Amino acid sequence: MVLGKGTWLFVGAMVVAWMVLSGPSAPSGALDAGSLPAEAVRDVVPNRVMTWNLCNPCETGNDDRAAEIATFAPQVVGLQEACVGDVEQIRDYLENLHGLVYHVEYGAVLRNWGRCGGAPWNPGGYGQAILSAAPMTDVVTEEYPDGGSEDRGYMAVTTTVAGRPVRVFNTHLAERRQEAVRADQVAVLAKEVARHDPAIVIGDFNAVPDASELTRMWKLAADADPQCHPSPTATCEPTTDWQSKFDYVFLRGYVPLNRRVHPNAASDHHVLYADLDPA
């Protein structure tokens, strides 16, 4: 059967219309930001800092993790229990699906095939990562002399939050029931934090606010929640599924405007963010 020119033009128009209405069918990693509808592109909140332990291993898709971050669109987000490959995918999803563009730096202190996959002879990096809407400089990655039952460390970058240059630290301390190890780790971290003002220290400290191992941190900085301090009578909102506050945004030289703890299905740790006074 031979179709006339007008029929072919009609068919072509219908195909184009179907493609526009159905949207992209490729995985999000294959999209580019230029293909997004205008309403999908928005800016980060320039005075917002977020910390989140991703939970690893957990049966969670990186698209879901990216969606959690995009919900709050922080200027800076520190991730713990992060595989380099996962963070790369999260970053791609944030840009391609949510229109949020971040720089990234890694503080991987462990190469672990069981957690992060990769080739047996080249397992994926595991540790911390920082995503920042502004460029980062003076990147430092340090492994604690004693990680406890698993290698642990901290990373630090200089970036911009609330219009000010600031040193941002991201850490993950030793697991529970290793108080003495955490105390030594905090001593290492606090010595470096003390050199900087302003400074923001975020992460999973694996310790409740009145734990003795956090004493040195409390001497240097305050929690983003003014009601939370190292006292058994303080009101500190839990940041984990087991109703403990383990995650912190410690502030040095910044005043918090507000903060939020957000339980989610993607991790056993809640999203925690703080909005900071730009003054």
Side-chain angles (χ1 to χ4, degrees):
M1 180 175 62
V2 179
L3 299 178
K5 180 179 179 181
T7 303
W8 281 115
L9 289 174
F10 175 78
V11 171
M14 291 299 292
V15 169
V16 171
W18 175 82
M19 292 174 66
V20 170
L21 291 172
S22 63
S25 59
S28 58
L31 299 174
D32 61 83
S35 69
L36 289 168
E39 62 269 23
V41 180
R42 59 191 176 90
D43 292 332
V44 300
V45 181
N47 64 331
R48 179 167 293 171
V49 178
M50 172 177 158
T51 184
W52 191 24
N53 184 314
L54 294 181
C55 182
N56 188 309
C58 280
E59 297 296 326
T60 302
N62 289 322
D63 53 344
D64 292 331
R65 290 166 166 166
E68 285 291 333
I69 296 171
T71 298
F72 307 105
Q75 170 79 6
V76 170
V77 53
L79 303 174
Q80 303 88 43
E81 295 196 19
C83 294
V84 170
D86 287 337
V87 176
E88 289 174 348
Q89 287 188 354
I90 291 169
R91 186 182 177 213
D92 286 344
Y93 284 130
L94 284 166
E95 180 172 359
N96 297 330
L97 292 183
H98 305 284
L100 299 173
V101 179
Y102 286 98
H103 303 268
V104 63
E105 295 292 346
Y106 298 100
V109 297
L110 181 66
R111 305 198 70 81
N112 191 305
W113 183 85
R115 286 186 183 269
C116 299
W121 57 89
N122 187 28
Y126 173 79
Q128 289 79 247
I130 293 178
L131 300 176
S132 173
M136 293 175 278
T137 60
D138 304 319
V139 180
V140 170
T141 298
E142 292 290 339
E143 184 174 344
Y144 291 124
D146 183 0
S149 56
E150 181 179 84
D151 293 345
R152 295 287 165 91
Y154 75 86
M155 63 180 299
V157 303
T158 297
T159 188
T160 302
V161 176
R164 299 170 60 191
V166 60
R167 195 67 171 161
V168 177
F169 296 81
N170 180 19
T171 191
H172 187 191
L173 300 189
E175 295 173 330
R176 288 174 287 179
R177 296 181 294 277
Q178 299 181 76
E179 293 83 356
V181 174
R182 286 196 299 274
D184 290 342
Q185 292 172 347
V186 169
V188 172
L189 177 63
K191 182 178 180 180
E192 185 62 25
V193 172
R195 299 177 56 242
H196 301 276
D197 192 354
I200 300 171
V201 187
I202 54 183
D204 175 4
F205 285 72
N206 269 318
V208 294
D210 61 341
S212 61
E213 60 264 35
L214 296 188
T215 300
R216 295 195 184 194
M217 279 306 308
W218 287 114
K219 289 181 178 179
L220 290 173
D223 190 79
D225 179 2
Q227 303 302 315
C228 184
H229 45 80
S231 166
T233 60
T235 304
C236 299
E237 192 170 358
T239 64
T240 65
D241 286 353
W242 53 93
Q243 296 302 303
S244 295
K245 178 176 171 64
F246 278 4
D247 306 272
Y248 296 82
V249 175
F250 282 114
L251 302 175
R252 181 173 166 85
Y254 276 97
V255 175
L257 295 175
N258 58 69
R259 62 98 186 91
R260 181 179 177 186
V261 175
H262 175 69
N264 58 88
S267 174
D268 55 359
H269 283 252
H270 307 340
V271 166
L272 169 62
Y273 75 77
D275 293 338
L276 311 181
D277 189 338

Coordinates of all heavy atoms in Angstrom, one line a residue, residues 187-240:
A187 N 38.5 13.9 69.8 CA 39.7 14.7 70.2 C 40.5 15.1 68.9 O 40.9 16.2 68.8 CB 40.6 13.9 71.1
V188 N 40.6 14.2 68.0 CA 41.3 14.5 66.7 C 40.5 15.5 65.9 O 41.0 16.5 65.4 CB 41.5 13.2 65.9 CG1 42.0 13.5 64.4 CG2 42.4 12.2 66.6
L189 N 39.2 15.3 65.8 CA 38.3 16.2 65.0 C 38.3 17.6 65.7 O 38.4 18.6 65.0 CB 36.9 15.6 64.9 CG 35.8 16.4 64.2 CD1 36.2 16.6 62.8 CD2 34.5 15.7 64.4
A190 N 38.1 17.6 67.0 CA 37.9 18.9 67.6 C 39.2 19.8 67.5 O 39.1 21.0 67.4 CB 37.6 18.7 69.1
K191 N 40.3 19.2 67.5 CA 41.6 19.9 67.4 C 41.6 20.7 66.1 O 42.1 21.8 66.0 CB 42.8 19.0 67.5 CG 44.1 19.7 67.4 CD 45.3 18.7 67.6 CE 46.6 19.3 67.5 NZ 47.7 18.4 67.7
E192 N 41.1 20.0 65.0 CA 41.1 20.7 63.7 C 40.0 21.7 63.6 O 40.2 22.8 63.1 CB 40.9 19.6 62.6 CG 41.0 20.1 61.2 CD 42.4 20.8 60.9 OE1 43.4 20.4 61.5 OE2 42.4 21.7 60.0
V193 N 38.8 21.4 64.1 CA 37.7 22.3 64.1 C 38.0 23.6 64.8 O 37.7 24.7 64.4 CB 36.4 21.7 64.7 CG1 35.3 22.7 64.9 CG2 35.9 20.5 63.9
A194 N 38.8 23.5 65.9 CA 39.1 24.7 66.7 C 39.9 25.7 65.9 O 40.0 26.9 66.3 CB 39.9 24.2 68.0
R195 N 40.5 25.3 64.8 CA 41.3 26.2 64.0 C 40.5 27.1 63.1 O 41.0 28.0 62.5 CB 42.3 25.4 63.2 CG 43.3 24.6 64.0 CD 44.2 23.8 63.1 NE 44.9 24.6 62.1 CZ 44.8 24.5 60.8 NH1 44.0 23.6 60.3 NH2 45.5 25.3 60.0
H196 N 39.2 26.8 63.1 CA 38.3 27.5 62.1 C 37.1 28.2 62.7 O 36.4 27.5 63.6 CB 37.9 26.5 61.0 CG 39.0 25.9 60.3 ND1 39.6 26.4 59.2 CD2 39.6 24.7 60.5 CE1 40.6 25.6 58.8 NE2 40.6 24.6 59.5
D197 N 36.9 29.4 62.4 CA 35.7 30.1 62.8 C 35.3 31.1 61.7 O 36.1 32.1 61.5 CB 35.9 30.8 64.1 CG 34.7 31.3 64.8 OD1 33.6 31.2 64.2 OD2 34.7 31.8 66.0
P198 N 34.2 30.9 61.0 CA 33.2 30.0 61.3 C 33.5 28.5 60.8 O 34.4 28.3 60.0 CB 32.0 30.5 60.4 CG 32.7 31.2 59.3 CD 33.9 31.8 59.8
A199 N 32.7 27.6 61.3 CA 32.9 26.2 60.9 C 31.5 25.5 61.1 O 30.7 25.9 62.0 CB 33.9 25.5 61.8
I200 N 31.3 24.5 60.3 CA 30.1 23.7 60.4 C 30.5 22.3 60.5 O 31.3 21.8 59.6 CB 29.1 23.9 59.2 CG1 28.7 25.4 59.1 CG2 27.9 23.0 59.3 CD1 27.9 25.7 57.9
V201 N 30.1 21.5 61.5 CA 30.5 20.1 61.6 C 29.2 19.3 61.6 O 28.3 19.4 62.4 CB 31.2 19.9 63.0 CG1 31.8 18.5 63.0 CG2 32.3 20.9 63.1
I202 N 29.1 18.4 60.6 CA 28.0 17.6 60.4 C 28.4 16.1 60.4 O 29.5 15.8 60.1 CB 27.2 17.9 59.1 CG1 28.2 17.8 57.9 CG2 26.6 19.3 59.2 CD1 27.6 18.2 56.6
G203 N 27.4 15.2 60.7 CA 27.7 13.8 60.6 C 26.9 13.0 61.6 O 26.1 13.4 62.4
D204 N 27.3 11.7 61.5 CA 26.7 10.7 62.4 C 27.8 10.4 63.5 O 28.8 9.8 63.2 CB 26.4 9.4 61.6 CG 25.9 8.3 62.5 OD1 25.8 8.4 63.7 OD2 25.8 7.2 61.9
F205 N 27.5 10.9 64.7 CA 28.4 10.7 65.8 C 28.2 9.5 66.6 O 29.0 9.2 67.5 CB 28.4 12.0 66.7 CG 29.0 13.2 66.1 CD1 28.5 13.9 65.1 CD2 30.2 13.7 66.6 CE1 29.1 15.0 64.5 CE2 30.9 14.8 66.1 CZ 30.3 15.4 65.0
N206 N 27.2 8.7 66.3 CA 26.9 7.5 67.0 C 26.9 7.7 68.6 O 27.3 6.7 69.3 CB 27.9 6.4 66.6 CG 27.4 5.6 65.4 OD1 26.2 5.2 65.4 ND2 28.3 5.3 64.5
A207 N 26.4 8.8 69.0 CA 26.4 9.1 70.4 C 25.3 10.1 70.7 O 25.1 11.0 69.9 CB 27.8 9.7 70.9
V208 N 24.6 9.9 71.9 CA 23.6 10.8 72.3 C 24.2 12.1 72.8 O 25.4 12.1 73.2 CB 22.6 10.1 73.3 CG1 21.9 8.9 72.7 CG2 23.4 9.7 74.5
P209 N 23.4 13.2 72.9 CA 24.0 14.5 73.3 C 24.8 14.5 74.6 O 25.7 15.2 74.7 CB 22.8 15.4 73.3 CG 21.8 14.8 72.3 CD 22.0 13.3 72.5
D210 N 24.3 13.8 75.6 CA 25.0 13.9 76.9 C 26.1 12.8 77.1 O 26.6 12.6 78.2 CB 24.0 13.8 78.1 CG 23.2 12.4 78.1 OD1 23.2 11.8 77.0 OD2 22.7 12.1 79.1
A211 N 26.4 12.1 76.0 CA 27.5 11.2 76.1 C 28.9 11.9 76.3 O 29.1 12.9 75.7 CB 27.6 10.4 74.8
S212 N 29.7 11.3 77.2 CA 30.9 12.0 77.6 C 31.9 12.2 76.5 O 32.6 13.2 76.4 CB 31.6 11.2 78.7 OG 31.9 9.9 78.3
E213 N 31.8 11.3 75.5 CA 32.8 11.5 74.4 C 32.5 12.7 73.5 O 33.4 13.1 72.7 CB 32.8 10.2 73.5 CG 31.5 9.8 72.9 CD 30.7 8.8 73.7 OE1 30.8 8.9 74.9 OE2 30.0 8.0 73.1
L214 N 31.4 13.3 73.6 CA 31.1 14.5 72.8 C 31.5 15.8 73.5 O 31.3 16.9 73.0 CB 29.6 14.6 72.4 CG 29.1 13.4 71.5 CD1 27.7 13.7 71.1 CD2 30.0 13.2 70.3
T215 N 32.0 15.7 74.7 CA 32.3 16.9 75.5 C 33.1 17.9 74.8 O 32.8 19.2 74.8 CB 33.0 16.5 76.8 OG1 32.2 15.6 77.6 CG2 33.3 17.7 77.7
R216 N 34.1 17.5 74.1 CA 35.0 18.5 73.4 C 34.3 19.2 72.2 O 34.6 20.3 71.9 CB 36.3 17.7 72.8 CG 37.1 17.2 73.9 CD 38.5 16.8 73.4 NE 39.3 16.2 74.4 CZ 40.6 16.0 74.3 NH1 41.3 16.4 73.2 NH2 41.3 15.4 75.3
M217 N 33.4 18.5 71.6 CA 32.6 19.1 70.5 C 31.7 20.2 71.1 O 31.6 21.3 70.5 CB 31.8 18.1 69.7 CG 32.5 17.4 68.7 SD 33.4 18.4 67.5 CE 32.1 19.5 67.0
W218 N 31.0 19.9 72.2 CA 30.1 20.9 72.8 C 30.9 22.1 73.3 O 30.3 23.2 73.3 CB 29.4 20.3 74.0 CG 28.3 19.3 73.6 CD1 28.3 17.9 73.8 CD2 27.1 19.6 72.9 NE1 27.1 17.4 73.3 CE2 26.4 18.4 72.7 CE3 26.5 20.8 72.4 CZ2 25.1 18.3 72.1 CZ3 25.3 20.7 71.7 CH2 24.6 19.5 71.6
K219 N 32.1 22.0 73.6 CA 32.9 23.2 74.1 C 33.2 24.1 72.9 O 33.5 25.3 73.1 CB 34.2 22.7 74.7 CG 34.0 22.1 76.1 CD 35.4 21.6 76.7 CE 35.2 21.0 78.1 NZ 36.5 20.6 78.7
L220 N 33.2 23.6 71.7 CA 33.5 24.3 70.5 C 32.3 24.9 69.7 O 32.4 25.9 69.1 CB 34.4 23.5 69.5 CG 35.8 23.1 69.9 CD1 36.3 22.1 68.9 CD2 36.6 24.3 70.0
A221 N 31.2 24.2 69.8 CA 30.1 24.5 68.9 C 28.8 24.1 69.6 O 28.8 23.4 70.5 CB 30.3 23.8 67.6
A222 N 27.7 24.7 69.0 CA 26.4 24.4 69.5 C 25.6 23.7 68.5 O 25.9 23.8 67.3 CB 25.7 25.7 69.8
D223 N 24.6 22.9 68.9 CA 23.8 22.2 68.0 C 22.8 23.2 67.3 O 22.5 24.2 67.8 CB 22.9 21.2 68.7 CG 22.2 20.2 67.8 OD1 22.8 19.3 67.3 OD2 21.0 20.4 67.6
A224 N 22.4 22.9 66.0 CA 21.5 23.7 65.3 C 20.2 23.9 66.0 O 19.4 24.8 65.7 CB 21.3 23.2 63.9
D225 N 19.8 22.9 66.9 CA 18.6 23.0 67.7 C 19.0 23.7 69.0 O 19.6 23.1 69.8 CB 18.0 21.6 67.9 CG 16.8 21.7 68.7 OD1 16.3 22.8 69.1 OD2 16.2 20.6 69.0
P226 N 18.6 24.9 69.3 CA 18.9 25.6 70.5 C 18.4 24.9 71.8 O 19.0 25.1 72.9 CB 18.2 27.0 70.4 CG 18.0 27.1 68.9 CD 17.8 25.8 68.4
Q227 N 17.4 24.0 71.6 CA 16.9 23.3 72.8 C 17.7 22.0 73.1 O 17.5 21.3 74.1 CB 15.4 22.8 72.5 CG 14.5 24.0 72.2 CD 14.5 25.0 73.3 OE1 14.4 24.7 74.5 NE2 14.6 26.3 73.0
C228 N 18.7 21.7 72.2 CA 19.5 20.4 72.4 C 20.9 20.8 72.9 O 21.6 21.6 72.2 CB 19.5 19.7 71.1 SG 20.4 18.1 71.2
H229 N 21.2 20.3 74.0 CA 22.5 20.5 74.6 C 22.9 19.3 75.5 O 22.0 18.4 75.7 CB 22.6 21.8 75.4 CG 21.4 22.0 76.2 ND1 21.3 21.4 77.5 CD2 20.2 22.7 76.0 CE1 20.1 21.8 78.0 NE2 19.5 22.6 77.2
P230 N 24.1 19.2 75.9 CA 24.5 18.0 76.7 C 24.0 17.9 78.1 O 24.8 18.0 79.1 CB 26.1 18.1 76.7 CG 26.3 19.6 76.6 CD 25.2 20.1 75.7
S231 N 22.7 17.8 78.2 CA 22.1 17.7 79.5 C 21.0 16.6 79.4 O 20.3 16.5 78.5 CB 21.5 19.0 80.0 OG 20.6 18.8 81.1
P232 N 20.9 15.8 80.5 CA 19.9 14.7 80.5 C 18.5 15.3 80.4 O 17.5 14.6 80.0 CB 20.1 14.0 81.8 CG 21.5 14.3 82.2 CD 21.8 15.7 81.7
T233 N 18.3 16.6 80.7 CA 17.0 17.2 80.7 C 16.7 18.0 79.4 O 15.6 18.6 79.2 CB 16.8 18.1 81.9 OG1 17.8 19.2 81.8 CG2 16.9 17.4 83.2
A234 N 17.7 18.0 78.5 CA 17.5 18.7 77.2 C 16.5 18.1 76.3 O 16.3 16.9 76.4 CB 18.9 18.9 76.5
T235 N 15.9 18.9 75.5 CA 15.0 18.3 74.5 C 15.7 18.2 73.1 O 15.9 19.2 72.4 CB 13.8 19.3 74.4 OG1 13.2 19.5 75.6 CG2 12.7 18.7 73.4
C236 N 16.0 17.0 72.8 CA 16.8 16.7 71.6 C 15.9 15.7 70.7 O 15.7 14.6 71.2 CB 18.1 16.1 71.8 SG 19.2 17.2 72.8
E237 N 15.5 16.2 69.6 CA 14.7 15.3 68.7 C 15.5 14.1 68.2 O 16.6 14.3 67.7 CB 14.1 16.1 67.6 CG 13.0 15.5 66.8 CD 12.3 16.4 65.8 OE1 12.7 17.6 65.8 OE2 11.4 15.9 65.1
P238 N 14.9 12.9 68.2 CA 15.7 11.8 67.7 C 15.9 11.9 66.2 O 15.1 12.5 65.5 CB 14.7 10.6 68.0 CG 13.8 11.1 69.1 CD 13.7 12.5 68.9
T239 N 17.0 11.3 65.8 CA 17.3 11.3 64.3 C 17.5 9.9 63.8 O 18.0 9.8 62.6 CB 18.7 12.1 64.1 OG1 19.7 11.4 64.8 CG2 18.6 13.5 64.6
T240 N 17.1 8.9 64.5 CA 17.2 7.5 64.0 C 15.9 6.8 64.2 O 15.1 7.2 65.1 CB 18.3 6.8 64.8 OG1 18.0 6.6 66.1 CG2 19.7 7.5 64.6

